[in-house]
Amino acid sequence: MAALVTGGASGIGAAIAARLRDGGARVAVLDRDPAGAPAGTLPVKADVTSDEAIRNGVAEAVAEFGVLHTVVGNAGIGAIGTVEDNSDEEWLRVLDVNVLGLVRTARAALPHLRAAAAERPGSVSITHTCSIAATAGLPQRAAYSASKGAVLSLTLAMAADHVRDGIRVNCVNPGTVDTPWVGRLLGQAADPAAERAALEARQPTGRLVSADEVAAAVAYLASPAAAAVTGTALAVDGGMQGL
Ligand code: NAI
């Protein structure tokens, strides 16, 4: 199997890339800062806000692997604030990375995925890293939540558009995951330990999700075991949404 993971040089994306690699896949890590790409993967420097950079990055991966079966659109950024706090520029930046980044990645990859699906039906997929913010109202996350709501709808629309091509499209909805991103957020809090405790308490399991637990869900969605699974959002959120 050959895979490409955007934002695969840190946190959830790095865990996904490592897990797919450990499962025997050749993995390209497309990241604006690919230095942290896991060993044994192909680091590709590209910013998902550039259509040209993504096209070149996907072409580089396909030139190396000769084929592409799995795309994981994971690169994303956050924004803190209510609708009164964030400027239009901040909104557009979040939507550009979190939503259009996935559109550009899919546009570049789909011709290759279509070709692969003709050879290996059921084994070709796109998986997006969405968020529980798509379905739960979280305070101080207006732009981020709106972007992830768009990711959920985009996932469903793409699943419908490409099901007849043999390409499955799904997303994972993580709760709060212990990654460098969350570490940065906690670092900015007045009382980081209290903030971490509040995040842990928000999830019924009483702890943060690990990046590898999200990676396991993505690996399943990308595997032939999920051949009947498309147009779904798999929550990995410690029960936050359902309980
Ligand atoms: P992270 O900040 O640890 O890693 C993000 C990676 O994406 C970094 O390697 C970064 O260089 C890359 N990236 C960011 N903007 C990029 C761009 N424009 N072009 C190319 N690469 C870019 O973040 P984390 O926590 O691993 O988040 C990954 C994804 O998971 C994001 O889509 C985020 O919204 C989502 N998520 C994270 C949660 C969490 O609690 N950490 C919860 C739910 C979803």
Side-chain angles (χ1 to χ4, degrees):
M1 187 166 84
L4 180 142
V5 181
T6 72
S10 174
I12 294 171
I16 294 168
R19 188 171 263 265
L20 292 175
R21 174 205 62 196
D22 291 349
R26 290 163 293 168
V27 184
V29 165
L30 194 150
D31 201 292
R32 67 180 172 189
D33 179 12
T41 64
L42 174 71
V44 178
K45 186 174 171 60
D47 194 305
V48 299
T49 60
S50 163
D51 195 54
E52 189 188 0
I54 294 183
R55 283 187 185 283
N56 290 340
V58 169
E60 193 178 327
V62 172
E64 182 74 18
F65 303 149
V67 66
L68 189 61
H69 303 101
T70 300
V71 168
V72 182
N74 165 83
I77 58 170
I80 295 178
T82 71
V83 289
E84 293 182 293
D85 299 324
N86 297 125
S87 65
D88 283 8
E89 287 69 29
E90 288 169 316
W91 272 83
L92 289 170
R93 172 78 188 151
V94 171
L95 294 170
D96 195 14
V97 175
N98 292 6
V99 185
L100 280 163
L102 300 179
V103 173
R104 296 183 188 104
T105 303
R107 209 155 47 200
L110 274 164
H112 305 291
L113 295 177
R114 222 174 260 124
E119 302 289 318
R120 287 176 67 171
S123 297
V124 175
S125 66
I126 297 174
T127 305
H128 295 144
T129 306
C130 188
S131 169
I132 211 67
T135 56
L138 303 181
Q140 294 287 326
R141 296 288 185 277
Y144 180 72
S145 298
S147 77
K148 292 299 184 177
V151 171
L152 179 57
S153 303
L154 174 69
T155 301
L156 300 180
M158 285 174 55
D161 282 336
H162 304 298
V163 64
R164 300 219 183 281
D165 294 329
I167 301 166
R168 301 180 295 101
V169 187
N170 297 289
C171 65
V172 286
N173 284 1
T176 305
V177 187
D178 211 346
T179 69
W181 171 331
V182 170
R184 288 192 296 274
L185 274 178
L186 292 176
Q188 292 160 18
D191 183 346
E195 181 68 18
R196 187 183 171 98
L199 289 175
E200 288 170 348
R202 200 167 68 171
Q203 303 190 156
T205 47
R207 63 171 178 84
L208 301 188
V209 176
S210 76
D212 200 49
E213 287 171 318
V214 181
V218 173
Y220 161 69
L221 290 171
S223 75
V229 182
T230 192
T232 198
L234 179 49
V236 187
D237 64 352
M240 190 175 164
Q241 178 187 249
L243 306 186

